[in-house]
Structure formats: structure tokens, C-alpha cells
């Protein structure tokens, strides 16, 4: 099933800011197989653990204080951004489709001001992952207040 990736909104029926239980129920309704994880977050000023849901359709959902703040998709995911960028798209094509995307040396990924990040598969210079997130992720101080 092809799903639309929408920056600052979500993917298909999966909306950012949703609760952990809302996403689990939707996954179950759609027959998605998934596993749950919990990660400590000792590096933050206010160490809030993150819950993660990983699906067999290669969608990964990240929650803090019961709110979905980030979704990333990886190899095997079927869907694309509105521009047509999807997993496996050559980076040369990505640069043509989004002239504003910039490489981030620190994170070693590509950041678009349109609201998404891309990791590149270095052996063939194609899109390996696409991440969408809530706007608060872009400001560490605002994000770590968890008032979103």
C-alpha cells in the first residue's frame, strides 16, 4: 500500500501528535505487524524516555510523553513525499526535486526546510530513510519542554 509522507503532518492515516495507543489501534486495525521498544533519553535536559513502534512495513514511530513526534521510514516502505521522493530515489534526483535541501555535516544527513530529513545510502547514493517530525523538533529548548 503506497502512503503519502507529509512533513509536519504524518504519513497516510498516521498523524504526528497522536498518542501511543491511537497509533497502536490504527496499526492493529490495518493489520500491521509491529514491535514496541523503549529507549532511555539520558542526554536531554529533562530525560524523558522514548517509546518506539517498528512495523514490518518499515515505518518507525517515536513518542515522548505519549505524543508522536517523529516518524521515519526505511528500505521496504512503499510511499513518497508529495514531490515524488521515496526510498531508493537517486540523490541527484532529490537535489532536482528539492533545490533547498542541504547536507548537514554534523548529523550526516540531508535537511529540507520543507520539513523532512533524508539519510543517504552511500554505496549507491540513493535515499535510505525519510523522516518527518513535529516543528518543535527543530528547536531543542522548545522540544524538551514537552508542551506540544
Amino acid at each position: 500500500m503506497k502512503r503519502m509522507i507529509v512533513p509536519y503532518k504524518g504519513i497516510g492515516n498516521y498523524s504526528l501528535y497522536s498518542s501511543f495507543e491511537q497509533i497502536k489501534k490504527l496499526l492493529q486495525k490495518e493489520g500491521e505487524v509491529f514491535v514496541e521498544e523503549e529507549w532511555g533519553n539520558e542526554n536531554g535536559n529533562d530525560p524523558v524516555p522514548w517509546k518506539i513502534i517498528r512495523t514490518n512495513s518499515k515505518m518507525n514511530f517515536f513518542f515522548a510523553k505519549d505524543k508522536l513526534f517523529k516518524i521515519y521510514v526505511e528500505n521496504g516502505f512503499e510511499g513518497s513525499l508529495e514531490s515524488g521522493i521515496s526510498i531508493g530515489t537517486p540523490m541527484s534526483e532529490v537535489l532536482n526535486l528539492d533545490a533547498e535541501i542541504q547536507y548537514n555535516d554534523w548529523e550526516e544527513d540531508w535537511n529540507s526546510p520543507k520539513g523532512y530529513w533524508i539519510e543517504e545510502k552511500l554505496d549507491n547514493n540513493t535515499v535510505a530513510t525519510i523522516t518527518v517530525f513535529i516543528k518543535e523538533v527543530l528547536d531543542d529548548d522548545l522540544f524538551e519542554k514537552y508542551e506540544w
Side-chain angles (χ1 to χ4, degrees):
M1 165 194 300
K2 291 207 178 240
R3 294 183 167 103
M4 184 61 63
I5 304 168
V6 183
Y8 303 125
K9 300 280 189 211
I11 296 178
N13 295 326
Y14 303 97
S15 299
L16 293 167
Y17 299 102
S18 295
S19 73
F20 188 76
E21 286 303 315
Q22 286 172 316
I23 295 299
K24 277 180 54 173
K25 285 179 183 173
L26 186 54
L27 289 167
Q28 290 165 341
K29 180 181 173 190
E30 293 187 359
E32 288 277 358
V33 176
F34 62 90
V35 296
E36 301 173 31
E37 298 176 15
E38 187 166 314
W39 293 0
N41 183 20
E42 294 79 22
N43 296 333
N45 294 333
D46 181 16
V48 172
W50 292 357
K51 285 188 173 183
I52 294 93
I53 297 175
R54 297 183 185 282
T55 72
N56 280 3
S57 61
K58 305 301 182 181
M59 292 185 295
N60 302 277
F61 301 89
F62 289 74
F63 301 82
K65 291 200 173 182
D66 199 38
K67 293 291 180 198
L68 178 60
F69 69 89
K70 176 173 80 171
I71 307 170
Y72 88 84
V73 298
E74 56 192 324
N75 190 32
F77 174 79
E78 294 186 18
S80 66
L81 291 158
E82 217 172 37
S83 63
I85 297 169
S86 61
I87 302 300
T89 300
M91 287 307 298
S92 57
E93 188 176 330
V94 169
L95 296 171
N96 287 331
L97 293 169
D98 185 350
E100 297 177 274
I101 199 164
Q102 296 288 318
Y103 188 74
N104 179 327
D105 288 321
W106 182 256
E107 297 291 337
E108 297 183 341
D109 65 2
W110 293 86
N111 298 329
S112 174
K114 295 176 181 168
Y116 63 91
W117 300 325
I118 288 177
E119 289 180 304
E120 178 180 359
K121 191 171 180 186
L122 297 178
D123 64 349
N124 65 3
N125 299 98
T126 60
V127 174
T129 69
I130 300 171
T131 303
V132 291
F133 43 83
I134 62 175
K135 289 182 181 181
E136 291 87 348
V137 165
L138 298 172
D139 181 330
D140 287 342
D141 291 334
L142 187 58
F143 178 76
E144 290 183 2
K145 286 182 182 178
Y146 299 102
E147 294 174 358
W148 26 270

